[in-house]
Amino acid sequence: MTPNKPLYLSTPLSRRSSIPVDVGGVVVGGTAPIVVQSMTNTDTADVDSTVAQVAALAKAGSELVRITVDRDEAAAAVPRIKERLDRLGIHVPLIGDFHYIGHKLLADHPACAEALDKYRINPGNVGFKAKKDLQFGQIIETAIRYNKPVRIGVNWGSLDQDLLTHLMDENQENGSLLTAQEVMREAICRSGLLSAQRAEELGLSRNKIILSAKVSQVQDLIGVYTDLAQRCDYALHLGLTEAGMGTKGIVASSASMGILLQQGIGDTIRISLTPEPGGDRTREVQVSQELLQTMGFRSFVPIVAACPGCGRTTSTVFQELAQDIQNHIRESMPIWREQYPGVEALNVAVMGCIVNGPGESKHADIGISLPGTGETPAAPVFIDGKKAMTLRGSDIANEFKQLVLEYIEGRYGADQRVLEEKGLTGDVT
């Protein structure tokens, strides 16, 4: 009897071939790395708050940032926001999110149309009845005039009802071969594809179109994007809408997008998390980065491996040290990216006892095995796979943090000095 083959893949499939799209200097699709993006939740008309949040998202690592443009005051604020960000040295591309009256706002505020790096429109609410095609066309014509890409973002919560009704009637005439859920998925795919086709007919180049198909259920997202990926070669934006708060949103988004990414589907991602009241919006950027990094697609920040703890690790020292180092690394990364090229590939291990501690530490670039409950109060440190020293006493945590900093300077600072000596640093024109 032949054993069943495993249902998982040990390595990701090759990336689906897609048309690259330049969004304000950031390439989405083609052979470019999968791009992380996010969205503000400030009132865009409030320039100060929006600039502050865009800056925070960009600092956290968001490579594209979307802002809401829902009324005249918001549209009028966009060029001021862009100017303020430029003065601060923050050059993250801005995406304008338009619904219902996007055609009018873009026409009435040409400075907004020029300042944005991409427009996002929803074919389900870009216009209704006789006005739908006209208003969609007006936005596409504006995009062509200002040489801007467009994301055609279908959302199941605002799906084109005329199209959905047509497909339901068609399915009934064919003997109801499809379930209601399958009809809905087909309506989402067809809405995006027909809209993209219409945009091309109006003159928008294929390398100016990105598609997305947002749903809130994991299996629906996997099904819709798998189908969409087979039916077109447009760049695809992945995201689970209304994912929820906290761990629920993180798990649902990671489960669905992880499967699609493993299949080579997806050119840019956003993990939409409902923040806690007053919560940090940058959390969604961090989760997006961690998803891509843990799957091996990109490196953003050094990885800190830490054991989960057990009865041998009743002390919280290793947990506190791991958290302290991880927080310090994330806070330092905006500067370290410039000072220490390649530092994002660093692996640090903070282990809690002698069982797996030494072995895990040897696999890291630099690691420490702290003493567990009842163990000798000594902490061996491993550097590049070899035991380098043993720390003892009450200040082990601070001593190890200093060793990590010295390791970064010694390894990655040296790389920077070599680049400087060869004249390879700075802007390249």
Side-chain angles (χ1 to χ4, degrees), residues 358-424:
E360 291 283 355
S361 297
K362 287 177 182 177
H363 290 303
D365 294 310
I366 179 169
I368 187 170
S369 179
L370 293 164
T373 304
E375 293 179 10
T376 303
V381 174
F382 297 84
I383 297 177
D384 294 330
K386 298 179 181 179
K387 183 177 177 181
M389 64 194 71
T390 298
L391 301 180
R392 293 181 174 84
S394 60
D395 202 32
I396 288 176
N398 286 327
E399 289 180 18
F400 181 67
K401 282 193 292 183
Q402 184 59 38
L403 287 173
V404 172
L405 295 176
E406 290 174 1
Y407 182 88
I408 291 171
E409 167 61 28
R411 177 173 175 179
Y412 299 101
D415 292 343
Q416 174 70 6
R417 287 189 290 274
V418 169
L419 291 174
E420 290 173 352
E421 289 170 4
K422 293 182 177 180
L424 298 177

Short mmCIF file of all heavy atoms in Angstrom, two decimals, residues 358-424:
data_model
loop_
_atom_site.label_atom_id
_atom_site.label_comp_id
_atom_site.label_asym_id
_atom_site.label_seq_id
_atom_site.Cartn_x
_atom_site.Cartn_y
_atom_site.Cartn_z
N PRO A 358 21.08 25.36 24.67
CA PRO A 358 22.36 25.38 23.95
C PRO A 358 22.21 25.05 22.46
O PRO A 358 22.82 25.70 21.61
CB PRO A 358 23.19 24.32 24.68
CG PRO A 358 22.61 24.27 26.06
CD PRO A 358 21.15 24.49 25.86
N GLY A 359 21.37 24.05 22.15
CA GLY A 359 21.21 23.67 20.75
C GLY A 359 20.60 24.78 19.91
O GLY A 359 21.06 25.09 18.81
N GLU A 360 19.52 25.39 20.42
CA GLU A 360 18.88 26.49 19.71
C GLU A 360 19.82 27.68 19.57
O GLU A 360 19.86 28.34 18.53
CB GLU A 360 17.59 26.92 20.43
CG GLU A 360 16.48 25.89 20.39
CD GLU A 360 15.77 25.88 19.04
OE1 GLU A 360 16.08 26.73 18.18
OE2 GLU A 360 14.90 25.02 18.84
N SER A 361 20.57 27.94 20.62
CA SER A 361 21.48 29.09 20.59
C SER A 361 22.57 28.90 19.55
O SER A 361 23.01 29.86 18.91
CB SER A 361 22.10 29.30 21.97
OG SER A 361 21.11 29.62 22.93
N LYS A 362 23.01 27.66 19.36
CA LYS A 362 24.05 27.39 18.36
C LYS A 362 23.54 27.66 16.94
O LYS A 362 24.31 28.02 16.06
CB LYS A 362 24.51 25.93 18.47
CG LYS A 362 25.38 25.64 19.69
CD LYS A 362 25.74 24.15 19.74
CE LYS A 362 26.55 23.83 20.98
NZ LYS A 362 26.86 22.38 21.08
N HIS A 363 22.24 27.48 16.72
CA HIS A 363 21.68 27.69 15.38
C HIS A 363 21.49 29.16 15.06
O HIS A 363 21.33 29.54 13.90
CB HIS A 363 20.34 26.97 15.23
CG HIS A 363 20.47 25.47 15.20
ND1 HIS A 363 21.24 24.82 14.26
CD2 HIS A 363 19.93 24.50 15.99
CE1 HIS A 363 21.16 23.51 14.46
NE2 HIS A 363 20.38 23.29 15.50
N ALA A 364 21.50 30.00 16.10
CA ALA A 364 21.32 31.44 15.90
C ALA A 364 22.67 32.10 15.63
O ALA A 364 23.73 31.51 15.85
CB ALA A 364 20.67 32.06 17.14
N ASP A 365 22.62 33.34 15.14
CA ASP A 365 23.86 34.10 14.97
C ASP A 365 24.47 34.40 16.34
O ASP A 365 25.67 34.30 16.53
CB ASP A 365 23.59 35.41 14.22
CG ASP A 365 23.15 35.15 12.79
OD1 ASP A 365 23.83 34.38 12.10
OD2 ASP A 365 22.13 35.73 12.37
N ILE A 366 23.61 34.79 17.26
CA ILE A 366 24.04 35.00 18.64
C ILE A 366 22.89 34.56 19.55
O ILE A 366 21.73 34.90 19.31
CB ILE A 366 24.44 36.47 18.91
CG1 ILE A 366 24.86 36.64 20.38
CG2 ILE A 366 23.35 37.45 18.51
CD1 ILE A 366 25.53 37.98 20.67
N GLY A 367 23.20 33.75 20.55
CA GLY A 367 22.15 33.23 21.41
C GLY A 367 22.64 33.03 22.83
O GLY A 367 23.84 32.93 23.09
N ILE A 368 21.67 32.97 23.73
CA ILE A 368 21.99 32.76 25.14
C ILE A 368 21.05 31.71 25.72
O ILE A 368 19.87 31.65 25.36
CB ILE A 368 21.88 34.09 25.93
CG1 ILE A 368 22.38 33.91 27.38
CG2 ILE A 368 20.45 34.62 25.91
CD1 ILE A 368 22.53 35.22 28.13
N SER A 369 21.58 30.86 26.58
CA SER A 369 20.79 29.86 27.27
C SER A 369 20.78 30.22 28.75
O SER A 369 21.77 30.01 29.45
CB SER A 369 21.38 28.46 27.05
OG SER A 369 20.62 27.49 27.74
N LEU A 370 19.68 30.79 29.20
CA LEU A 370 19.59 31.25 30.58
C LEU A 370 19.35 30.06 31.51
O LEU A 370 18.82 29.03 31.10
CB LEU A 370 18.46 32.26 30.72
CG LEU A 370 18.71 33.59 29.98
CD1 LEU A 370 17.42 34.37 29.82
CD2 LEU A 370 19.75 34.42 30.71
N PRO A 371 19.74 30.20 32.77
CA PRO A 371 19.54 29.09 33.71
C PRO A 371 18.07 28.91 34.06
O PRO A 371 17.35 29.86 34.34
CB PRO A 371 20.34 29.52 34.94
CG PRO A 371 20.42 31.02 34.84
CD PRO A 371 20.45 31.34 33.38
N GLY A 372 17.60 27.65 34.00
CA GLY A 372 16.23 27.34 34.39
C GLY A 372 16.15 27.13 35.89
O GLY A 372 17.13 27.26 36.63
N THR A 373 14.96 26.75 36.35
CA THR A 373 14.73 26.53 37.77
C THR A 373 15.66 25.44 38.30
O THR A 373 15.69 24.33 37.76
CB THR A 373 13.27 26.13 38.01
OG1 THR A 373 12.42 27.13 37.46
CG2 THR A 373 12.98 25.96 39.49
N GLY A 374 16.41 25.75 39.33
CA GLY A 374 17.31 24.77 39.94
C GLY A 374 18.62 24.58 39.21
O GLY A 374 19.46 23.80 39.66
N GLU A 375 18.83 25.26 38.08
CA GLU A 375 20.09 25.11 37.34
C GLU A 375 21.15 26.06 37.89
O GLU A 375 20.85 27.06 38.53
CB GLU A 375 19.85 25.38 35.84
CG GLU A 375 18.97 24.35 35.17
CD GLU A 375 18.74 24.68 33.69
OE1 GLU A 375 19.41 25.59 33.17
OE2 GLU A 375 17.88 24.02 33.07
N THR A 376 22.39 25.72 37.60
CA THR A 376 23.51 26.58 38.01
C THR A 376 23.32 27.97 37.43
O THR A 376 23.00 28.12 36.24
CB THR A 376 24.84 26.00 37.49
OG1 THR A 376 24.97 24.67 37.99
CG2 THR A 376 26.01 26.85 37.94
N PRO A 377 23.45 29.03 38.22
CA PRO A 377 23.23 30.40 37.74
C PRO A 377 24.31 30.87 36.76
O PRO A 377 25.13 31.73 37.06
CB PRO A 377 23.24 31.24 39.03
CG PRO A 377 24.08 30.46 39.96
CD PRO A 377 23.82 29.01 39.65
N ALA A 378 24.33 30.24 35.60
CA ALA A 378 25.30 30.59 34.57
C ALA A 378 24.59 30.54 33.22
O ALA A 378 23.70 29.71 33.00
CB ALA A 378 26.47 29.63 34.58
N ALA A 379 24.97 31.43 32.31
CA ALA A 379 24.29 31.52 31.01
C ALA A 379 25.32 31.49 29.89
O ALA A 379 25.97 32.51 29.62
CB ALA A 379 23.47 32.80 30.95
N PRO A 380 25.50 30.35 29.22
CA PRO A 380 26.43 30.29 28.10
C PRO A 380 25.92 31.11 26.91
O PRO A 380 24.73 31.09 26.60
CB PRO A 380 26.51 28.80 27.75
CG PRO A 380 25.24 28.23 28.28
CD PRO A 380 24.88 29.03 29.49
N VAL A 381 26.83 31.81 26.25
CA VAL A 381 26.51 32.61 25.08
C VAL A 381 27.19 31.98 23.87
O VAL A 381 28.39 31.64 23.92
CB VAL A 381 26.99 34.07 25.25
CG1 VAL A 381 26.77 34.86 23.95
CG2 VAL A 381 26.24 34.74 26.41
N PHE A 382 26.42 31.80 22.80
CA PHE A 382 26.95 31.21 21.57
C PHE A 382 26.95 32.26 20.46
O PHE A 382 25.95 32.95 20.25
CB PHE A 382 26.10 30.01 21.15
CG PHE A 382 26.12 28.89 22.16
CD1 PHE A 382 25.26 28.91 23.26
CD2 PHE A 382 27.01 27.83 22.03
CE1 PHE A 382 25.28 27.88 24.20
CE2 PHE A 382 27.04 26.80 22.96
CZ PHE A 382 26.18 26.82 24.04
N ILE A 383 28.06 32.39 19.77
CA ILE A 383 28.19 33.34 18.67
C ILE A 383 28.64 32.58 17.43
O ILE A 383 29.65 31.87 17.47
CB ILE A 383 29.18 34.46 19.01
CG1 ILE A 383 28.66 35.27 20.22
CG2 ILE A 383 29.41 35.38 17.81
CD1 ILE A 383 29.61 36.37 20.68
N ASP A 384 27.86 32.70 16.37
CA ASP A 384 28.17 32.00 15.12
C ASP A 384 28.37 30.50 15.32
O ASP A 384 29.28 29.89 14.76
CB ASP A 384 29.40 32.62 14.44
CG ASP A 384 29.14 34.05 13.96
OD1 ASP A 384 27.97 34.36 13.63
OD2 ASP A 384 30.08 34.85 13.94
N GLY A 385 27.53 29.92 16.18
CA GLY A 385 27.52 28.48 16.36
C GLY A 385 28.52 27.95 17.38
O GLY A 385 28.55 26.75 17.63
N LYS A 386 29.31 28.82 17.97
CA LYS A 386 30.32 28.36 18.93
C LYS A 386 30.13 29.06 20.27
O LYS A 386 29.76 30.24 20.31
CB LYS A 386 31.72 28.66 18.39
CG LYS A 386 32.04 27.92 17.09
CD LYS A 386 33.43 28.28 16.60
CE LYS A 386 33.75 27.56 15.29
NZ LYS A 386 35.11 27.92 14.78
N LYS A 387 30.41 28.31 21.34
CA LYS A 387 30.31 28.91 22.66
C LYS A 387 31.41 29.96 22.82
O LYS A 387 32.60 29.66 22.63
CB LYS A 387 30.46 27.84 23.75
CG LYS A 387 30.30 28.39 25.16
CD LYS A 387 30.37 27.29 26.20
CE LYS A 387 30.28 27.86 27.61
NZ LYS A 387 30.36 26.81 28.65
N ALA A 388 31.01 31.18 23.12
CA ALA A 388 31.96 32.29 23.19
C ALA A 388 32.32 32.64 24.63
O ALA A 388 33.45 33.04 24.91
CB ALA A 388 31.39 33.52 22.50
N MET A 389 31.35 32.49 25.54
CA MET A 389 31.59 32.89 26.93
C MET A 389 30.43 32.41 27.78
O MET A 389 29.42 31.92 27.26
CB MET A 389 31.72 34.41 27.05
CG MET A 389 30.43 35.15 26.69
SD MET A 389 30.66 36.91 26.42
CE MET A 389 31.55 36.89 24.87
N THR A 390 30.56 32.58 29.10
CA THR A 390 29.47 32.28 30.02
C THR A 390 29.26 33.51 30.90
O THR A 390 30.21 34.03 31.50
CB THR A 390 29.80 31.07 30.90
OG1 THR A 390 29.98 29.91 30.05
CG2 THR A 390 28.67 30.79 31.88
N LEU A 391 28.03 33.98 30.96
CA LEU A 391 27.70 35.14 31.79
C LEU A 391 27.18 34.67 33.14
O LEU A 391 26.44 33.69 33.22
CB LEU A 391 26.65 36.01 31.10
CG LEU A 391 27.00 36.57 29.72
CD1 LEU A 391 25.85 37.41 29.17
CD2 LEU A 391 28.29 37.38 29.77
N ARG A 392 27.57 35.39 34.17
CA ARG A 392 27.13 35.06 35.53
C ARG A 392 26.79 36.34 36.27
O ARG A 392 27.21 37.43 35.86
CB ARG A 392 28.23 34.31 36.30
CG ARG A 392 28.53 32.92 35.75
CD ARG A 392 29.61 32.25 36.59
NE ARG A 392 29.82 30.86 36.19
CZ ARG A 392 30.61 30.47 35.20
NH1 ARG A 392 31.27 31.40 34.49
NH2 ARG A 392 30.73 29.19 34.89
N GLY A 393 26.03 36.18 37.32
CA GLY A 393 25.72 37.34 38.15
C GLY A 393 24.32 37.87 37.92
O GLY A 393 23.50 37.25 37.24
N SER A 394 24.05 39.04 38.47
CA SER A 394 22.69 39.61 38.46
C SER A 394 22.41 40.48 37.23
O SER A 394 21.28 40.92 37.04
CB SER A 394 22.49 40.46 39.72
OG SER A 394 23.45 41.51 39.76
N ASP A 395 23.44 40.72 36.41
CA ASP A 395 23.24 41.65 35.28
C ASP A 395 23.37 40.93 33.93
O ASP A 395 23.77 41.53 32.94
CB ASP A 395 24.27 42.79 35.37
CG ASP A 395 23.82 44.03 34.61
OD1 ASP A 395 22.59 44.27 34.53
OD2 ASP A 395 24.68 44.75 34.07
N ILE A 396 23.00 39.65 33.89
CA ILE A 396 23.15 38.86 32.67
C ILE A 396 22.38 39.47 31.50
O ILE A 396 22.89 39.56 30.38
CB ILE A 396 22.68 37.41 32.92
CG1 ILE A 396 23.71 36.68 33.79
CG2 ILE A 396 22.49 36.66 31.60
CD1 ILE A 396 23.29 35.27 34.18
N ALA A 397 21.15 39.92 31.78
CA ALA A 397 20.31 40.44 30.70
C ALA A 397 20.95 41.64 30.02
O ALA A 397 21.05 41.70 28.78
CB ALA A 397 18.93 40.82 31.25
N ASN A 398 21.39 42.60 30.79
CA ASN A 398 22.00 43.81 30.20
C ASN A 398 23.31 43.49 29.50
O ASN A 398 23.62 44.07 28.45
CB ASN A 398 22.23 44.87 31.29
CG ASN A 398 20.94 45.53 31.72
OD1 ASN A 398 20.03 45.70 30.91
ND2 ASN A 398 20.85 45.89 32.99
N GLU A 399 24.06 42.56 30.04
CA GLU A 399 25.33 42.18 29.41
C GLU A 399 25.08 41.53 28.05
O GLU A 399 25.79 41.79 27.08
CB GLU A 399 26.11 41.22 30.32
CG GLU A 399 26.68 41.88 31.57
CD GLU A 399 27.44 40.89 32.44
OE1 GLU A 399 27.81 39.81 31.94
OE2 GLU A 399 27.63 41.19 33.63
N PHE A 400 24.02 40.69 27.97
CA PHE A 400 23.74 40.04 26.69
C PHE A 400 23.23 41.06 25.67
O PHE A 400 23.59 40.98 24.49
CB PHE A 400 22.71 38.92 26.88
CG PHE A 400 22.40 38.20 25.60
CD1 PHE A 400 23.36 37.41 24.97
CD2 PHE A 400 21.16 38.32 24.98
CE1 PHE A 400 23.10 36.75 23.77
CE2 PHE A 400 20.88 37.67 23.80
CZ PHE A 400 21.85 36.88 23.19
N LYS A 401 22.40 42.00 26.10
CA LYS A 401 21.93 43.03 25.17
C LYS A 401 23.11 43.80 24.59
O LYS A 401 23.12 44.12 23.39
CB LYS A 401 20.98 44.00 25.88
CG LYS A 401 19.58 43.45 26.07
CD LYS A 401 18.60 44.52 26.48
CE LYS A 401 18.88 45.02 27.89
NZ LYS A 401 17.88 46.02 28.32
N GLN A 402 24.09 44.08 25.40
CA GLN A 402 25.27 44.78 24.91
C GLN A 402 26.05 43.93 23.93
O GLN A 402 26.56 44.42 22.91
CB GLN A 402 26.17 45.17 26.09
CG GLN A 402 27.40 46.00 25.72
CD GLN A 402 27.05 47.31 25.03
OE1 GLN A 402 26.06 47.96 25.39
NE2 GLN A 402 27.82 47.68 24.02
N LEU A 403 26.11 42.62 24.18
CA LEU A 403 26.78 41.71 23.25
C LEU A 403 26.08 41.68 21.90
O LEU A 403 26.73 41.63 20.85
CB LEU A 403 26.83 40.30 23.84
CG LEU A 403 27.80 40.08 25.00
CD1 LEU A 403 27.61 38.69 25.59
CD2 LEU A 403 29.25 40.27 24.55
N VAL A 404 24.74 41.73 21.92
CA VAL A 404 23.99 41.76 20.67
C VAL A 404 24.33 43.01 19.87
O VAL A 404 24.58 42.96 18.66
CB VAL A 404 22.47 41.67 20.94
CG1 VAL A 404 21.68 41.91 19.65
CG2 VAL A 404 22.10 40.32 21.53
N LEU A 405 24.37 44.14 20.54
CA LEU A 405 24.69 45.40 19.86
C LEU A 405 26.11 45.37 19.30
O LEU A 405 26.37 45.84 18.18
CB LEU A 405 24.52 46.57 20.83
CG LEU A 405 23.10 46.83 21.32
CD1 LEU A 405 23.09 47.97 22.35
CD2 LEU A 405 22.17 47.17 20.17
N GLU A 406 27.03 44.81 20.07
CA GLU A 406 28.42 44.72 19.60
C GLU A 406 28.52 43.77 18.41
O GLU A 406 29.31 44.03 17.48
CB GLU A 406 29.32 44.25 20.75
CG GLU A 406 29.49 45.29 21.85
CD GLU A 406 30.26 44.76 23.05
OE1 GLU A 406 30.69 43.56 23.00
OE2 GLU A 406 30.44 45.50 24.03
N TYR A 407 27.74 42.71 18.43
CA TYR A 407 27.75 41.76 17.30
C TYR A 407 27.23 42.45 16.03
O TYR A 407 27.82 42.29 14.95
CB TYR A 407 26.88 40.55 17.64
CG TYR A 407 26.87 39.50 16.55
CD1 TYR A 407 27.83 38.50 16.51
CD2 TYR A 407 25.91 39.52 15.54
CE1 TYR A 407 27.83 37.54 15.51
CE2 TYR A 407 25.90 38.56 14.54
CZ TYR A 407 26.87 37.58 14.53
OH TYR A 407 26.87 36.64 13.53
N ILE A 408 26.16 43.20 16.17
CA ILE A 408 25.60 43.92 15.01
C ILE A 408 26.61 44.90 14.45
O ILE A 408 26.84 44.96 13.24
CB ILE A 408 24.30 44.65 15.42
CG1 ILE A 408 23.19 43.62 15.69
CG2 ILE A 408 23.86 45.64 14.33
CD1 ILE A 408 21.94 44.22 16.30
N GLU A 409 27.24 45.65 15.32
CA GLU A 409 28.24 46.62 14.87
C GLU A 409 29.42 45.93 14.21
O GLU A 409 29.90 46.35 13.15
CB GLU A 409 28.72 47.45 16.07
CG GLU A 409 29.97 48.28 15.83
CD GLU A 409 29.80 49.32 14.74
OE1 GLU A 409 28.66 49.80 14.53
OE2 GLU A 409 30.81 49.67 14.09
N GLY A 410 29.88 44.85 14.82
CA GLY A 410 31.04 44.15 14.28
C GLY A 410 30.77 43.48 12.95
O GLY A 410 31.62 43.50 12.05
N ARG A 411 29.59 42.89 12.80
CA ARG A 411 29.29 42.15 11.57
C ARG A 411 28.72 43.04 10.46
O ARG A 411 29.22 43.04 9.34
CB ARG A 411 28.30 41.04 11.87
CG ARG A 411 27.86 40.27 10.63
CD ARG A 411 27.01 39.07 11.01
NE ARG A 411 26.47 38.39 9.83
CZ ARG A 411 25.72 37.30 9.87
NH1 ARG A 411 25.41 36.76 11.04
NH2 ARG A 411 25.27 36.75 8.76
N TYR A 412 27.69 43.80 10.80
CA TYR A 412 27.02 44.58 9.76
C TYR A 412 27.63 45.96 9.59
O TYR A 412 27.56 46.54 8.51
CB TYR A 412 25.52 44.67 10.06
CG TYR A 412 24.88 43.31 10.10
CD1 TYR A 412 24.60 42.68 11.31
CD2 TYR A 412 24.59 42.63 8.92
CE1 TYR A 412 24.02 41.42 11.34
CE2 TYR A 412 24.01 41.36 8.94
CZ TYR A 412 23.74 40.76 10.16
OH TYR A 412 23.19 39.51 10.19
N GLY A 413 28.22 46.49 10.66
CA GLY A 413 28.94 47.76 10.51
C GLY A 413 30.14 47.59 9.60
O GLY A 413 30.49 48.47 8.83
N ALA A 414 30.76 46.42 9.67
CA ALA A 414 31.90 46.14 8.80
C ALA A 414 31.45 46.13 7.34
O ALA A 414 32.14 46.63 6.45
CB ALA A 414 32.53 44.80 9.17
N ASP A 415 30.26 45.55 7.08
CA ASP A 415 29.74 45.54 5.72
C ASP A 415 29.53 46.95 5.20
O ASP A 415 29.81 47.27 4.06
CB ASP A 415 28.41 44.79 5.68
CG ASP A 415 28.58 43.29 5.96
OD1 ASP A 415 29.73 42.82 5.86
OD2 ASP A 415 27.59 42.63 6.28
N GLN A 416 29.03 47.84 6.10
CA GLN A 416 28.81 49.22 5.71
C GLN A 416 30.13 49.90 5.39
O GLN A 416 30.24 50.65 4.41
CB GLN A 416 28.08 49.97 6.83
CG GLN A 416 27.91 51.46 6.60
CD GLN A 416 26.92 51.79 5.51
OE1 GLN A 416 26.27 50.90 4.99
NE2 GLN A 416 26.83 53.04 5.13
N ARG A 417 31.16 49.62 6.18
CA ARG A 417 32.46 50.26 5.95
C ARG A 417 33.07 49.80 4.62
O ARG A 417 33.68 50.59 3.90
CB ARG A 417 33.41 49.95 7.12
CG ARG A 417 33.07 50.71 8.39
CD ARG A 417 34.16 50.55 9.44
NE ARG A 417 34.20 49.20 9.99
CZ ARG A 417 33.45 48.81 11.02
NH1 ARG A 417 32.60 49.64 11.57
NH2 ARG A 417 33.55 47.59 11.49
N VAL A 418 32.86 48.53 4.30
CA VAL A 418 33.37 48.03 3.01
C VAL A 418 32.68 48.75 1.86
O VAL A 418 33.31 49.15 0.89
CB VAL A 418 33.15 46.50 2.91
CG1 VAL A 418 33.42 46.03 1.48
CG2 VAL A 418 34.05 45.77 3.89
N LEU A 419 31.35 48.94 1.99
CA LEU A 419 30.61 49.64 0.94
C LEU A 419 31.11 51.07 0.80
O LEU A 419 31.25 51.60 -0.31
CB LEU A 419 29.11 49.63 1.26
CG LEU A 419 28.40 48.28 1.17
CD1 LEU A 419 26.97 48.41 1.66
CD2 LEU A 419 28.42 47.74 -0.25
N GLU A 420 31.35 51.72 1.94
CA GLU A 420 31.83 53.11 1.89
C GLU A 420 33.19 53.19 1.23
O GLU A 420 33.47 54.10 0.45
CB GLU A 420 31.87 53.68 3.31
CG GLU A 420 30.47 53.92 3.91
CD GLU A 420 30.53 54.32 5.36
OE1 GLU A 420 31.64 54.25 5.95
OE2 GLU A 420 29.48 54.72 5.90
N GLU A 421 34.06 52.23 1.56
CA GLU A 421 35.39 52.24 0.98
C GLU A 421 35.34 52.05 -0.54
O GLU A 421 36.17 52.57 -1.29
CB GLU A 421 36.24 51.12 1.61
CG GLU A 421 36.62 51.42 3.07
CD GLU A 421 37.24 50.21 3.74
OE1 GLU A 421 37.44 49.18 3.05
OE2 GLU A 421 37.53 50.29 4.96
N LYS A 422 34.33 51.29 -1.01
CA LYS A 422 34.19 51.05 -2.44
C LYS A 422 33.36 52.13 -3.14
O LYS A 422 33.12 52.08 -4.33
CB LYS A 422 33.54 49.67 -2.68
CG LYS A 422 34.43 48.51 -2.25
CD LYS A 422 33.75 47.19 -2.55
CE LYS A 422 34.65 46.00 -2.19
NZ LYS A 422 34.00 44.71 -2.47
N GLY A 423 32.89 53.11 -2.32
CA GLY A 423 32.10 54.20 -2.90
C GLY A 423 30.72 53.76 -3.36
O GLY A 423 30.17 54.33 -4.29
N LEU A 424 30.15 52.73 -2.68
CA LEU A 424 28.88 52.18 -3.11
C LEU A 424 27.72 52.59 -2.24
O LEU A 424 26.63 52.06 -2.35
CB LEU A 424 28.95 50.64 -3.14
CG LEU A 424 29.97 50.06 -4.12
CD1 LEU A 424 30.00 48.55 -4.01
CD2 LEU A 424 29.64 50.48 -5.55
#
